[in-house]
Amino acid sequence: MPARLPIDYVEFSSRDIARSQAFFAAAFEWTFTSYGPSYAGIDNAGLDGGIEQAEGEPAAPLAILYADDLDAAEAAVTAAGAEITRAQFDFPGGRRFQFREPGGNELAVWTKQSG
């Protein structure tokens, strides 16, 4: 039986990160950590998250699950019928992959970088 994976992060895409940040700050008092011109981490929102610069139209929010064993999580979602939409890749502080479940929703799974 696969391990239970919690939703750990939610990622929004935006046509204009600065305007999205201004909106979320005014409406919800969220704060942000900049990771360059195309990504901002969301702070003080109750769940970790981020806003990425959209390439074209913004995508639906992406729920990101956490796993201690990324390979086992990938095997579990594939065995359950998911399609891998983005192979495992590194990012600052971790590694992740993305998948589409049979109903059409795209999600991701990440793990902390070891070492």
Side-chain angles (χ1 to χ4, degrees), residues 2 5 65 72-84 97 99-100 102 109:
L5 303 182
L65 313 175
E74 185 173 358
V77 301
T78 335
E83 168 196 355
I84 302 301
F97 69 91
F99 66 95
R100 183 170 284 100
V109 180

Side-chain angles (χ1 to χ4, degrees), residues 30-51:
W30 295 354
T31 57
F32 303 89
T33 301
S34 176
Y35 293 101
S38 63
Y39 200 88
I42 300 170
D43 304 311
N44 304 319
L47 181 71
D48 286 338
I51 305 170

Side-chain angles (χ1 to χ4, degrees), residues 13-31:
S13 67
S14 171
R15 286 185 208 102
D16 185 327
I17 290 176
R19 289 184 69 195
S20 291
Q21 284 179 271
F23 168 80
F24 290 134
F28 310 127
E29 298 183 354
W30 295 354
T31 57

Side-chain angles (χ1 to χ4, degrees), residues 2-5 65-82 84 88 96-97 99 108-111:
R4 184 172 306 210
L5 303 182
L65 313 175
Y66 182 81
D68 288 325
D69 185 334
L70 197 63
D71 293 327
E74 185 173 358
V77 301
T78 335
I84 302 301
Q88 290 187 24
R96 85 180 200 195
F97 69 91
F99 66 95
V109 180
W110 85 285
T111 195

Side-chain angles (χ1 to χ4, degrees), residues 52-69:
E52 68 176 346
Q53 180 64 48
E55 296 179 15
E57 278 302 304
L62 181 70
I64 303 174
L65 313 175
Y66 182 81
D68 288 325
D69 185 334

